[in-house]
Amino acid sequence: MSTTRIIKSGRTPSRAPNRRTALRAALASVGAVSLAGCDQLSQNESFVSVLKSAQNLSHSAHGVVAGRKALAQEFSQADVAAHFKGNGTLVPADADYHALMQGGFKDWKLEVAGLVENPASFSLAELHAMPSRTQITRHDCVEGWSSIGKWKGVQLSHVLELVKPLASAKYVVFRCADSMDGPSLDGHDSKYYESVDLDDAYHTQTVLAYELNDQPLPVNNGAPLRVRIERQLGYKHAKYLMRIELVESFTAIRVGKGGYWEDNGYEWYAGI
Ligand SMILES: Nc1nc2c(c(=O)[nH]1)N[C@H]1C(S)=C(S)[C@@H](COP(=O)(O)O)O[C@H]1N2
Ligand SMILES: [Mo]
């Protein structure tokens, strides 16, 4: 890694590596179970409880030491990995997604709805025309791997300013194109979803990314649009975005824990 990296946040450089080292050690202690991670639901209770205790540690570190506005570390071009790993869904199997993909995403639109004054939808061309932010960051997956990539996109805060969230809006829910388990018994779909609070939604580095490493976002990494939530673990970074909803509470969505992996036992706040 380069020595030219810039620590932009108020976080001490030593603290984040210590946190990550602790999480890695915790994950290593559960051995092969950690390999299941995000690709396959882990039924192992100890894995989930180790994850929970590591993340609770991290949540308090964020609030007390750095504050929610602090930036995640940004890296230099020399640090960018030759290949950014894909994980979880790599190509959604869903027919509606395939139709959009075959059309080069010309007919794709991001819907922004829920508790907003001006519900809207944006084509890829419209998102490209908005002010952009480029950032080189490290993606950390709970499985124990990391990858540094260069992301370009529009800040979510910009889109939120256009749609004007109502005072009652407390969370942003990301709805994705990919079904995880097929239709479930209760009749709900199983499409990937995620949610964050407004601190993360308006965070400087929360970007709706349409480019990875100077190329259009590959399908493996969430084409045509995925969100970057740089202060949290990989599963928060929803790929294949279709719709963004402003809500007061997410308890009525699916199991009610705020995300696909959260509904399967992961922490909602996955700070790093
Ligand atoms: N829609 C969707 N988003 C997703 C996932 C997924 O399976 N589907 N996997 C998550 C997990 S666990 C990780 S680590 C990252 C992987 O992003 P990448 O494929 O760009 O590496 O995406 C996250 N977002
Ligand atoms: Mo992950």
Side-chain angles (χ1 to χ4, degrees):
M1 273 182 208
S2 152
T3 52
T4 58
R5 72 172 72 140
I6 302 159
I7 309 289
K8 289 191 181 166
S9 74
R11 211 154 40 146
T12 61
S14 62
R15 190 163 295 271
N18 287 346
R19 250 282 310 132
R20 291 199 173 92
T21 306
L23 179 57
R24 288 260 157 64
L27 289 171
S29 76
V30 293
V33 177
S34 67
L35 295 174
C38 307
D39 281 333
Q40 193 187 315
L41 174 59
S42 166
Q43 301 291 352
N44 187 306
E45 277 304 314
S46 74
F47 172 72
V48 174
S49 62
V50 163
L51 203 57
K52 278 185 176 164
S53 61
Q55 287 172 188
N56 287 338
L57 200 81
S58 154
H59 197 179
S60 59
H62 273 195
V64 176
V65 180
R68 297 290 306 280
K69 288 196 164 117
L71 298 187
Q73 185 175 359
E74 292 193 15
F75 297 81
S76 68
Q77 185 68 47
D79 299 315
V80 172
H83 174 71
F84 194 96
K85 186 177 152 73
N87 201 41
T89 301
L90 297 177
V91 183
D94 307 66
D96 42 359
Y97 179 85
H98 272 261
L100 293 168
M101 183 171 66
Q102 267 146 29
F105 299 111
K106 269 193 323 301
D107 298 328
W108 172 92
K109 281 197 165 210
L110 176 71
E111 228 185 295
V112 189
L115 299 173
V116 296
E117 242 175 73
N118 307 319
S121 60
F122 304 102
S123 68
L124 212 45
E126 287 169 321
L127 293 168
H128 278 122
M130 293 177 189
S132 69
R133 187 176 204 279
T134 300
Q135 60 200 28
I136 299 176
T137 53
R138 187 177 61 211
H139 179 102
D140 295 320
C141 172
V142 294
E143 291 174 5
W145 60 269
S146 300
S147 205
I148 293 180
K150 179 181 186 180
W151 303 96
K152 181 180 176 186
V154 53
Q155 287 173 309
L156 178 57
S157 61
H158 180 82
V159 170
L160 293 178
E161 277 152 23
L162 297 175
V163 299
K164 296 190 171 43
L166 301 176
S168 52
K170 301 224 165 15
Y171 301 96
V172 175
V173 179
F174 303 98
R175 299 288 200 157
C176 307
D178 53 322
S179 294
M180 300 296 285
D181 310 316
S184 58
L185 293 175
D186 59 6
H188 292 295
D189 67 59
S190 69
K191 289 184 194 291
Y192 201 93
Y193 79 105
E194 258 302 338
S195 61
V196 296
D197 63 15
L198 296 185
D199 281 336
D200 267 320
Y202 285 98
H203 188 278
T204 306
Q205 293 166 319
T206 296
V207 165
L208 301 173
Y210 46 73
E211 270 184 27
L212 170 59
N213 297 340
D214 303 309
Q215 299 296 321
L217 186 64
V219 168
N220 282 357
N221 305 101
L225 194 74
R226 69 99 54 82
V227 69
R228 299 296 310 164
I229 309 286
E230 302 290 1
R231 296 288 308 282
Q232 296 204 49
L233 286 172
Y235 61 86
K236 301 298 290 188
H237 303 227
K239 309 195 283 188
Y240 316 112
L241 292 180
M242 297 301 293
R243 196 165 75 250
I244 289 178
E245 290 164 12
L246 280 286
V247 300
E248 187 165 9
S249 157
F250 48 72
T251 56
I253 302 172
R254 304 266 192 81
V255 180
K257 300 293 203 284
Y260 174 80
W261 283 112
E262 288 84 336
D263 286 342
N264 287 293
Y266 284 26
E267 284 295 294
W268 176 76
Y269 190 79
I272 43 176

